[in-house]
Amino acid sequence: MKGLARTIAIRLVGGAVMIWIVATFTFFLVHALPGKPGDVAYEKYVAMGMNAQEAKAKASIIYGFTSQDPLLTQYTHYIGDLLHGHLGISISYSGVPVADVIGDALPWTVIPIMSGLLISFCIGVSSGVVAAVKRSSRLGSGLSLAASMIAGIPSFVIAILLITVFYTNLGALPYGGTVSETLLVDPGWNVEYVSSVAYHAVLPVATYVLISYGGWMLSMRSSVVSVLGDDFILASELRGITPSTRMRYIGRNAILPLFTTLALSFGTLFGGAILIEATFNYPGVGQLLLNSIGKRDYPLMTGAFLLITTAVVLANIVADLLYSVIDPRVRR
């Protein structure tokens, strides 16, 4: 028990250091972008017809709270705020705390990612076992070929294809937003609202399923093929076990490496949600990040980057710990 606690502590300290490094890099990268928030607003007001003096005064009123201190001083304040759990105040959302803005967008990223990841994992693992056992047949070859082709298609291309087929051509599924515009019920755990949310999430979730399926299927196929050559499988066959028991032995041992990959995939898909949410106009963290870049909302940008970084780091820590739990051989 002490050894496990020590391992967890080491992983958490290492993860905290990594988050600090990425947060530092992100802070200076964001502040190196051309076009300060006040400058962007000033140019917008001038384009709207204001004279230079009026535009400057209005931009100064709205964005006057932006620190004019040296960059290192701003960085010190930024790290101090992070240690106190404060991500700053959003510029583009009229002074709303960044934590509140991200908190509102977070469910629209986590729920589709988790749904798509788990569905693709189950389908990919099942078809990978079939493709490995039937690898000399047309079925096995067809499954492997299809998975290889799907795995090579970029996520935004899959998203555009799904939109073209199911929204533009067939009109069977909605595009954009999270609920129907004609929905009259209040948001909450009622049948109408949940059904509308699920209906609008079909295409984003299907995209997550397809971009992940090929990797799961090919990984499981490779893992099963390697297990098929192990001595314990041959010994169990000589003892005359049933085909179902044999498949259970194979699947149980072949799936172990994929559990750690599953934990890692949550973090990587979290970052990959940017393109998918932008394509589907879905109001998740990825879409939020893109909007904040366009509006030069420094606090919101750094907060969104920090969230994605934290998700990846935590996914790595969970993957390391998970593998030692599910595979006793690692602890020996």
Side-chain angles (χ1 to χ4, degrees):
M1 195 67 181
K2 291 182 178 179
L4 179 60
R6 183 173 179 272
T7 301
I8 295 175
I10 293 174
R11 295 288 191 277
L12 291 176
V13 170
V17 172
M18 182 59 65
I19 292 174
W20 168 69
I21 292 173
V22 175
T24 300
F25 174 77
T26 303
F27 175 86
F28 287 105
L29 176 65
V30 165
H31 283 74
L33 292 173
K36 305 299 181 184
D39 296 339
V40 173
Y42 169 79
E43 293 173 2
K44 182 181 71 173
Y45 297 143
V46 170
M48 291 169 58
M50 291 186 181
N51 60 50
Q53 188 174 1
E54 291 177 345
K56 184 177 181 180
K58 186 172 182 179
S60 177
I61 292 173
I62 297 176
Y63 299 98
F65 61 86
T66 303
S67 177
Q68 300 299 318
D69 293 332
L71 194 56
L72 288 177
T73 303
Q74 294 184 47
Y75 169 73
T76 303
H77 292 159
Y78 170 69
I79 295 298
D81 288 341
L82 284 185
L83 294 176
H84 289 86
H86 183 55
L87 299 178
I89 303 297
S90 172
I91 296 174
S92 57
Y93 283 82
S94 302
V96 178
V98 170
D100 293 344
V101 177
I102 294 178
D104 291 338
L106 190 59
W108 303 111
T109 295
V110 173
I111 294 175
I113 284 179
M114 290 296 293
S115 302
L117 193 58
L118 293 177
I119 293 172
S120 65
F121 180 78
C122 294
I123 297 175
V125 165
S126 302
S127 59
V129 173
V130 175
V133 175
K134 303 288 185 181
R135 60 188 181 279
S136 300
S137 65
R138 291 184 178 180
L139 176 60
S141 300
L143 288 172
S144 299
L145 178 62
S148 299
M149 293 176 62
I150 294 174
I153 303 176
S155 59
F156 67 91
V157 174
I158 293 178
I160 293 173
L161 288 175
L162 291 177
I163 293 171
T164 302
V165 173
F166 292 101
Y167 172 74
T168 305
N169 294 340
L170 299 179
L173 293 171
Y175 164 77
T178 57
V179 294
S180 174
E181 295 181 354
T182 59
L183 191 67
L184 300 178
V185 299
D186 294 328
W189 292 104
N190 54 77
V191 175
E192 292 83 2
Y193 182 77
V194 172
S195 300
S196 183
V197 168
Y199 186 47
H200 281 72
V202 170
L203 286 180
V205 170
T207 303
Y208 286 119
V209 170
L210 289 176
I211 64 176
S212 305
Y213 163 75
W216 295 128
M217 189 273 177
L218 295 174
S219 298
M220 188 61 180
R221 180 186 181 277
S222 176
S223 185
V224 170
V225 169
S226 64
V227 171
L228 286 173
D230 289 346
D231 293 338
F232 77 94
I233 296 295
L234 178 60
S236 61
E237 290 174 348
L238 293 176
R239 291 199 304 267
I241 63 171
T242 61
S244 61
T245 303
R246 175 176 175 268
M247 290 299 296
R248 188 166 65 250
Y249 285 168
I250 294 172
R252 185 180 299 172
N253 285 272
I255 203 173
L256 289 178
L258 272 71
F259 277 116
T260 56
T261 309
L262 178 63
L264 292 173
S265 296
F266 176 74
T268 55
L269 275 182
F270 214 94
I274 297 174
L275 287 177
I276 296 176
E277 291 178 1
T279 305
F280 286 104
N281 193 26
Y282 208 71
V285 176
Q287 181 79 331
L288 191 70
L289 177 59
L290 287 178
N291 293 337
S292 67
I293 293 174
K295 296 175 181 178
R296 295 299 189 269
D297 191 340
Y298 290 171
L300 190 53
M301 269 191 280
T302 53
F305 277 126
L306 183 66
L307 177 65
I308 294 173
T309 301
T310 302
V312 174
V313 170
L314 290 179
N316 278 272
I317 294 174
V318 171
D320 288 341
L321 298 176
L322 182 64
Y323 198 70
S324 63
V325 171
I326 64 177
D327 191 351
R329 295 172 297 182
V330 177
R331 300 195 297 266
R332 294 176 181 174

